[in-house]
Amino acid sequence: MNALVEAVNLHKHFHGVDVLKGIDMTVAEGEVVCLLGPSGSGKTTFLRCINQLEIFDGGRLYVDGELLGLRESGTALHRLPDKQIARQRRQIGMVFQRFNLFPHKTALQNVIEGPVQVGGVSKKQAVSEARELLERVGLSERADHYPAQLSGGQQQRVAIARALAMKPKLMLFDEPTSALDPELVGEVLAVMRELAADGMTMVVVTHEIAFARDVADRVVFMDGGVVVESGPPAEVIRNPQHERTKTFLSRIIAEQEQHAAAAADLAKPVE
Ligand SMILES: Nc1ncnc2c1ncn2[C@@H]1O[C@H](COP(=O)(O)OP(=O)(O)O)[C@@H](O)[C@H]1O
Ligand SMILES: [Mg+2]
């Protein structure tokens, strides 16, 4: 299968501190990869390098066979002009933990912004596509609402529609449900499940183990700026090989069971 993302010995440091210490990872076209790992392990930095919100310091990163951010001539590397970088970035949609919608624009206006401003799409066409996308994320009725009039789960679904409006080849999700109240997590995960079923290539940073188990083709566990292990979810989640993975998973699973128990407790009728 065609590799849509290929990271080769990717390095990134901040102020002399190595945050990514040689990441090798391939994501095939149509594949859903869930990235797990404790806080500070470099997951966000890795996604931000793919989306060129950060400039990596070493190694190579390819999307659809194209080297990101750089042009190689002989042994020399040159930074691509901004216009080329903008073109590369348009192929990639990113969904953040905090939805980052424009607060003064309605759901529909948020979704058409990219296609109209940078995609060269006519307003009429952008609006018609945006309505379809809002329907796809279950929000046709909310097209004219402002972010402040929407729940967190609805705002995140608008953010997904907004990313899809640019017709990306690849979608990156950085803990898309971790800022949400527990009762709103499911509606966002449901949209992501559908997207995966439709064949979108996705890299998802998440602590939702059930989602990773059910939806991911592959789970990658990162810690301390390296990939510790990766494999099919049934293997990595049920039978982790490394001590660090075992410790992380048992902590996360215990936390999620506690949350589930607390929610069930709240749902009990008062005697
Ligand atoms: N812009 C930045 N400047 C300095 N340090 C940063 C910056 N972004 C991230 N870091 C550091 O890099 C490490 C990895 O961060 P991050 O990629 O956000 O991890 P994760 O998403 O796995 O929690 C952390 O130690 C973090 O403090
Ligand atoms: Mg992070």
Side-chain angles (χ1 to χ4, degrees):
M1 228 197 213
N2 189 17
L4 195 59
V5 183
E6 195 178 1
V8 185
N9 196 23
L10 195 73
H11 282 261
K12 174 70 188 170
H13 55 76
F14 290 111
H15 320 294
V17 178
D18 286 329
V19 170
L20 300 180
K21 301 174 186 167
I23 301 284
D24 291 300
M25 200 186 300
T26 309
V27 182
E29 205 176 317
E31 201 179 18
V32 177
V33 171
C34 281
L35 268 184
L36 309 180
S39 172
S41 55
K43 306 178 301 294
T44 293
T45 304
F46 180 62
L47 292 191
R48 289 174 58 86
C49 285
I50 299 175
N51 201 18
Q52 302 195 60
L53 294 167
E54 301 287 352
I55 300 175
F56 53 89
D57 303 303
R60 300 282 188 279
L61 197 44
Y62 301 88
V63 169
D64 210 6
E66 193 181 345
L67 180 59
L68 291 190
L70 300 169
R71 180 172 58 81
E72 261 178 314
S73 62
T75 55
L77 282 175
H78 304 278
R79 257 219 43 93
L80 286 179
D82 289 349
K83 215 171 161 181
Q84 295 285 346
I85 289 178
R87 179 186 56 77
Q88 292 182 333
R89 294 194 61 218
R90 280 203 291 278
Q91 309 177 346
I92 300 168
M94 186 150 173
V95 175
F96 302 87
Q97 187 174 346
R98 302 228 155 251
F99 337 116
N100 299 2
L101 297 175
F102 298 113
H104 57 288
K105 289 183 190 289
T106 64
L108 186 87
Q109 288 166 344
N110 266 280
V111 178
I112 67 170
E113 174 78 9
V116 171
Q117 295 304 324
V118 295
V121 176
S122 74
K123 179 145 183 220
K124 188 161 173 245
Q125 193 188 337
V127 167
S128 125
E129 290 178 3
R131 290 201 184 280
E132 274 173 37
L133 284 168
L134 286 171
E135 185 172 348
R136 195 164 157 196
V137 301
L139 290 174
S140 332
E141 312 293 302
R142 298 282 187 276
D144 299 322
H145 285 55
Y146 288 88
Q149 302 169 312
L150 299 170
S151 73
Q154 290 170 337
Q155 289 183 60
Q156 193 61 302
R157 286 187 281 148
V158 174
I160 293 172
R162 181 180 58 172
L164 291 174
M166 295 301 286
K167 302 189 169 71
K169 289 181 181 168
L170 168 70
M171 286 283 285
L172 309 174
F173 294 85
D174 193 2
E175 298 198 32
T177 59
S178 56
L180 298 177
D181 291 335
E183 72 273 19
L184 303 177
V185 168
E187 63 191 54
V188 172
L189 293 180
V191 166
M192 292 169 63
R193 273 173 202 264
E194 267 182 34
L195 204 52
D198 287 346
M200 177 60 80
T201 311
M202 297 163 56
V203 182
V204 184
V205 174
T206 185
H207 292 304
E208 296 293 332
I209 300 294
F211 178 84
R213 194 188 49 217
D214 298 348
V215 181
D217 297 299
R218 204 148 45 84
V219 166
V220 174
F221 176 72
M222 278 178 69
D223 195 10
V226 298
V227 171
V228 175
E229 66 182 293
S230 82
E235 282 172 26
V236 176
I237 293 171
R238 267 195 224 127
N239 189 20
Q241 297 301 302
H242 291 261
E243 212 44 55
R244 284 194 278 179
T245 321
K246 286 180 196 167
T247 311
F248 173 78
L249 284 172
S250 49
R251 180 166 61 75
I252 291 288
I253 290 168
E255 275 174 21
Q256 290 181 359
E257 278 168 2
Q258 264 178 15
H259 286 157
D265 232 27
L266 281 175
K268 270 191 202 149
V270 182
E271 309 210 350

